[in-house]
Amino acid sequence: MANAAKKITLSPSRDIPFNKLVLSQANVRRIKAGVSVEELAEDIARRGLLQSLNVRPMLDAEGNETGLFEIPAGGRRYRALELLARKKRLAKTAPVPCVVREAGTDIPAEEDSLVENVQRMALHPLDQFRAFLALRETGLSEEEIAARFFVSVNVVKQRLRLVAVSETLLAVYAEDGMTLEQLMAFTVSNDHARQEQVWEAIQHSWSKEPYQIRRMLTQNTVHASDRRVRFVTVAAYEEAGGTVVRDLFQDDDGGWIEDVPLLDRLVTDKLKAEAESVALEGWTWIEVAIDFPYGHTHGLRALTGTPVDLTDEERTTCEALREEYDRLEADYAEADDLPDAVDARFGEIETALEAFEERPMCYDPAEIARAGTFISIRHDGRLSVDRGYVRPEDEAPEGDDDTNGDPDGETESEPDSAAQPTVIGADGESRSQDDEDDAIKPLPDRLVAELTAHRTLALRDAVAIHPHVALTALLHTLVRGTFRHAASPGCLEASVRHVFFPVQADDLKDSSSAKAIAERHDAWTADLPAEDDTLWDWIDKLDEASRMALLAHCVSFGVNALYEKTNPYGAGPTAQGVRQRIHDADRLARAVSLDMVEAGWRATVDTYLGRVTKARILEAVREAKGDADAQTIDHLKKTEMAERAAQLLDGTGWLPEPLRPPEPPMAAVEDGEAQSAADGGETAMGDPDPIGDDEPVIDAAPALAAS
């Protein structure tokens, strides 16, 4: 007969007077963590002691029980009871529920203390969320729940925010199908269907980062840092009934604006109101847009105004602010860190002084009557009012005086100074989804035009810092037009006419080439004299290096390397003309060693990858990283594929065909071989390595053109 298993005997429980309990030195908890003793005491006072103390009888030297009990496990609870007893909120003889271990046990007291703390299982965040939710449904506020459990209000809000997550995703989290960070990322949207759609799209992907989940859920929203939001303010948007999606689990910089049409309407209304106010100044026209493209003032004459003088009161205030600024700067010159109040005051003074420096300008009323204004929003959300631009058609006819009199002495009617401002909406051009076919199709015409616009701007910048090449290009164009009567001017307009970009990407004006050109242009503008007669003498007296640099800068504005779609019916550029332009642009790019990677162009979702087919995306990754990396994304949907491809291409220097450095034409190689043979060298057929003859001929070409 089999022996019966020995039954387990549990330690008995009993109530022991509080004054018979002593904290054991065997308690392993030494470092304070979690809820404080004071908070635990308040919880015991409200709810009572929910967990018994683990105690052992204390023995004297002979091994007899003394009537006292030591506590190896439950020290924090004992400290909380001790605090209540000191405050006379608990009687010293109050019975305390205890589990009593036998005195002769062979299990050390330290083990009891360690096991009780180590084997304690923390509450699952989902269980905590459901418990908080149940308490809120009883009528408790978030502050009351936080107070009862000694946690911050933000912790309660974060846990309750999980109610915004689909039950399907909560079930996935409960089964450890996703991390808590991933689950929290889904709370930025209340759309359960969209949450499940995003999870379906990424659950089998190797990349399921929380930032990616947030980005996919907020792709149809506008971030609060957007210039439009800062212009109308989040408060005004919410007052108009708009909702803001916020992320309680990390700093979201103000969240995301969910109702984009409402935001656009508020922006339009506010800009229109600002335009109507500016129109009262008497301007003939006002153009309004959220942002104007690069070069929007080209061809317009800018009025020269005079700043409005400061009043005596403003001048006194300005001087006082400067003195205060200098005094604070001297007082804290040796300080490593500024006090918060002082740092804030520095900011206030700088803002006030900046307002004094940005004085409004006064213009001639006769000029105002024929000029206009551009109203837009700055990058920081402030209103931008750019006054005083005259269109060519609004210029006064030659011979007219300021009274607008005609030869017969009659006075012409003044232009309508209260013209209705024109509100320019956002670009309404639709961008259809590209084909998902696997075949590699030609790049869209608009994309090629945008890419070559980037190349044209970078080429201008490069030509401007290569005066020798600029002069050679100018002479080359002039010779073709004068002696050969070439029908196509090539890529350089001989009249050095500023070529405006009819098609351009949104980031063009922020490119490094655009900034370099603007800085160089502003520097020359500051040096140029105002009078035309003086300008001639000034240019005539320039040293040779300055003349060449100025020439190169002016020549660069005529560079036109744009691709344009040709019209088979004859309107617009011809196919031959565009081919000749691109051919000339390639030669110019080789001469200045143009590198679009150094010029700052990068393949991103917006600039390229989101605009082409999946086959093009895979081709780009394959060329830059190889087949293995291309295979890691070939199963993704197009949006995810483009985003992942942008990460893979970052730093590789990959460029699409229209932006790649042009290859030297074969004719140049053949001409070099023929020249070598004419000079007595071996022919290409007899030379085992004809490539070596290439470089001397190419290097000599610029010298021949300049001689």
Side-chain angles (χ1 to χ4, degrees):
M1 181 176 177
N3 295 330
K6 185 178 180 180
K7 302 297 183 183
I8 298 173
T9 302
L10 300 177
S11 298
S13 60
R14 57 184 281 199
D15 291 341
I16 300 175
F18 174 73
N19 59 358
K20 298 297 183 181
L21 299 174
V22 178
L23 186 62
S24 173
Q25 296 301 313
N27 194 300
V28 299
R29 187 185 290 274
R30 297 285 188 269
I31 300 173
K32 294 181 180 180
V35 178
S36 68
V37 171
E38 291 78 8
E39 292 171 335
L40 182 57
E42 291 299 323
D43 190 68
I44 292 175
R46 191 175 72 85
R47 264 189 284 258
L49 189 64
L50 301 180
Q51 184 178 356
S52 301
L53 304 182
N54 184 289
V55 301
R56 295 178 179 223
M58 295 184 68
L59 307 178
D60 57 17
E62 287 75 25
N64 300 317
E65 294 187 7
T66 62
L68 299 177
F69 296 84
E70 64 175 351
I71 308 170
R76 293 179 71 252
R77 277 162 280 155
Y78 172 77
R79 291 294 190 194
L81 294 171
E82 185 180 43
L83 179 62
L84 293 173
R86 279 205 311 268
K87 293 182 177 181
K88 303 191 182 303
R89 300 175 66 184
L90 178 72
K92 292 184 178 180
T93 58
V96 178
C98 299
V99 174
V100 184
R101 172 81 74 176
E102 292 181 1
T105 181
D106 57 354
I107 298 177
E110 289 83 359
E111 186 173 330
D112 282 350
S113 177
L114 181 63
V115 167
E116 185 188 68
N117 288 281
V118 171
Q119 291 189 354
R120 181 183 301 162
M121 180 67 69
L123 191 65
H124 195 282
L126 196 56
D127 292 330
Q128 190 179 25
F129 146 66
R130 286 169 174 154
F132 286 167
L133 185 60
L135 289 173
R136 191 176 68 175
E137 290 174 348
T138 65
L140 291 179
S141 67
E142 294 168 350
E143 290 74 14
E144 290 173 324
I145 296 174
R148 291 192 178 191
F149 290 93
F150 307 105
V151 295
S152 68
V153 176
N154 196 45
V155 169
V156 177
K157 288 183 177 181
Q158 287 179 344
R159 291 294 181 261
L160 291 177
R161 187 78 173 106
L162 295 179
V163 74
V165 181
S166 161
E167 282 292 338
T168 301
L169 300 186
L170 291 177
V172 173
Y173 171 61
E175 297 297 326
D176 296 327
M178 70 171 70
T179 66
L180 178 60
E181 289 74 18
Q182 290 170 332
L183 182 69
M184 292 188 301
F186 281 101
T187 63
V188 300
S189 172
N190 293 320
D191 188 343
H192 289 183
R194 177 60 180 156
Q195 292 173 357
E196 294 171 10
Q197 182 184 22
V198 169
W199 178 247
E200 179 68 23
I202 69 170
Q203 64 175 328
H204 299 300
S205 172
W206 64 272
S207 177
K208 295 188 285 287
E209 296 299 326
Y211 78 87
Q212 183 180 1
I213 295 172
R214 291 186 180 91
R215 184 174 60 197
M216 295 176 68
L217 288 171
T218 59
Q219 64 183 1
N220 294 323
T221 62
V222 174
H223 199 270
S225 61
D226 186 273
R227 70 175 74 193
R228 293 170 292 173
V229 181
R230 299 173 73 176
F231 178 61
V232 300
T233 73
V234 173
Y237 165 78
E238 290 182 315
E239 186 178 347
T243 56
V244 180
V245 176
R246 301 188 186 276
D247 190 344
L248 290 177
F249 297 96
Q250 67 174 24
D251 183 16
D252 59 13
D253 249 351
W256 294 267
I257 300 301
E258 199 167 33
D259 193 342
V260 180
L262 173 61
L263 172 65
D264 289 338
R265 179 171 61 80
L266 293 174
V267 171
T268 300
D269 291 346
K270 187 172 181 179
L271 281 174
K272 182 179 179 181
E274 296 288 354
E276 290 173 349
S277 176
V278 174
L280 298 177
E281 300 173 10
W283 303 102
T284 298
W285 52 267
I286 294 178
E287 291 193 17
V288 181
I290 294 174
D291 189 24
F292 288 103
Y294 173 81
H296 68 282
T297 59
H298 171 66
L300 305 181
R301 176 170 63 89
L303 299 184
T304 302
T306 57
V308 175
D309 292 333
L310 293 172
T311 64
D312 293 339
E313 182 180 355
E314 289 174 333
R315 190 174 292 105
T316 301
T317 303
C318 184
E319 292 174 357
L321 288 172
R322 292 188 185 280
E323 290 176 1
E324 182 183 359
Y325 189 93
D326 293 339
R327 184 175 65 256
L328 289 174
E329 196 172 44
D331 292 344
Y332 293 94
E334 304 298 328
D336 293 333
D337 294 313
L338 292 176
D340 292 341
V342 175
D343 187 46
R345 183 54 184 163
F346 268 120
E348 293 172 358
I349 296 174
E350 289 171 353
T351 301
L353 290 176
E354 183 180 350
F356 281 118
E357 293 174 359
E358 296 181 356
R359 303 292 295 168
M361 306 293 287
C362 287
Y363 299 96
D364 184 350
E367 292 280 34
I368 290 179
R370 64 171 60 95
T373 300
F374 294 98
I375 296 180
S376 60
I377 306 175
R378 297 184 183 180
H379 69 281
D380 58 359
R382 292 188 296 167
L383 182 70
S384 173
V385 181
D386 199 7
R387 297 174 172 86
Y389 288 93
V390 182
R391 299 176 297 201
E393 60 269 26
D394 294 330
E395 293 284 7
E398 293 185 8
D400 282 4
D401 56 22
D402 292 340
T403 61
N404 293 328
D406 61 16
D408 297 328
E410 297 179 359
T411 302
E412 296 179 2
S413 60
E414 291 292 332
D416 182 11
S417 61
Q420 180 69 22
T422 302
V423 178
I424 302 176
D427 184 6
E429 179 180 352
S430 62
R431 296 180 180 178
S432 59
Q433 179 74 13
D434 286 312
D435 238 339
E436 296 295 330
D437 297 341
D438 291 333
I440 296 179
K441 299 181 178 180
L443 292 175
D445 291 334
R446 179 184 172 90
L447 176 57
V448 176
E450 290 183 3
L451 295 175
T452 53
H454 270 286
R455 188 191 187 208
T456 298
L457 204 60
L459 198 51
R460 289 180 182 177
D461 186 32
V463 168
I465 60 177
H466 289 78
H468 180 82
V469 176
L471 183 57
T472 301
L474 177 60
L475 290 173
H476 178 266
T477 303
L478 293 177
V479 167
R480 286 174 58 189
T482 303
F483 295 94
R484 299 184 182 178
H485 306 288
S488 300
C491 79
L492 183 62
E493 302 288 347
S495 61
V496 195
R497 177 177 58 86
H498 188 153
V499 180
F500 186 73
F501 304 140
V503 176
Q504 58 179 278
D506 294 338
D507 62 337
L508 183 64
K509 63 179 180 297
D510 297 323
S511 64
S512 58
S513 301
K515 293 176 181 177
I517 292 173
E519 291 174 2
R520 189 182 306 111
H521 192 75
D522 291 343
W524 279 115
T525 301
D527 290 341
L528 294 175
E531 298 296 330
D532 187 66
D533 292 339
T534 308
L535 176 63
W536 175 270
D537 295 335
W538 181 82
I539 294 176
D540 187 56
K541 294 176 182 177
L542 282 177
D543 60 82
E544 191 63 23
S546 298
R547 288 165 59 86
M548 295 293 289
L550 181 57
L551 173 64
H553 178 68
C554 294
V555 166
S556 70
F557 280 98
V559 173
N560 184 358
L562 287 172
Y563 165 82
E564 291 184 80
K565 186 176 182 180
T566 59
N567 190 329
Y569 302 104
T574 64
Q576 174 61 28
V578 173
R579 283 197 298 270
Q580 183 64 54
R581 178 191 299 171
I582 301 301
H583 173 76
D584 288 359
D586 288 345
R587 179 175 54 230
L588 196 57
R590 287 194 298 270
V592 297
S593 301
L594 178 66
D595 187 336
M596 289 303 297
V597 175
E598 293 182 0
W601 192 90
R602 299 291 183 272
T604 65
V605 175
D606 293 332
T607 61
Y608 183 83
L609 298 169
R611 312 281 300 282
V612 298
T613 62
K614 293 174 66 174
R616 283 278 185 183
I617 298 174
L618 292 173
E619 180 190 41
V621 174
R622 192 176 295 111
E623 290 178 353
K625 302 286 288 185
D627 289 335
D629 284 291
Q631 291 173 2
T632 63
I633 65 172
D634 60 4
H635 64 286
L636 300 177
K637 294 183 179 179
K638 182 177 176 180
T639 300
E640 303 168 51
M641 180 184 290
E643 292 176 351
R644 179 57 186 148
Q647 298 173 3
L648 291 172
L649 293 177
D650 186 33
T652 63
W654 180 88
L655 296 170
E657 298 93 331
L659 301 186
R660 293 176 184 175
E663 296 293 334
M666 291 302 299
V669 178
E670 295 172 358
D671 290 347
E673 294 168 353
Q675 181 64 38
S676 176
D679 291 342
E682 295 186 18
T683 63
M685 187 175 296
D687 187 352
D689 186 15
I691 298 177
D693 294 334
D694 220 4
E695 293 183 0
V697 175
I698 294 176
D699 288 344
L704 290 173
S707 60

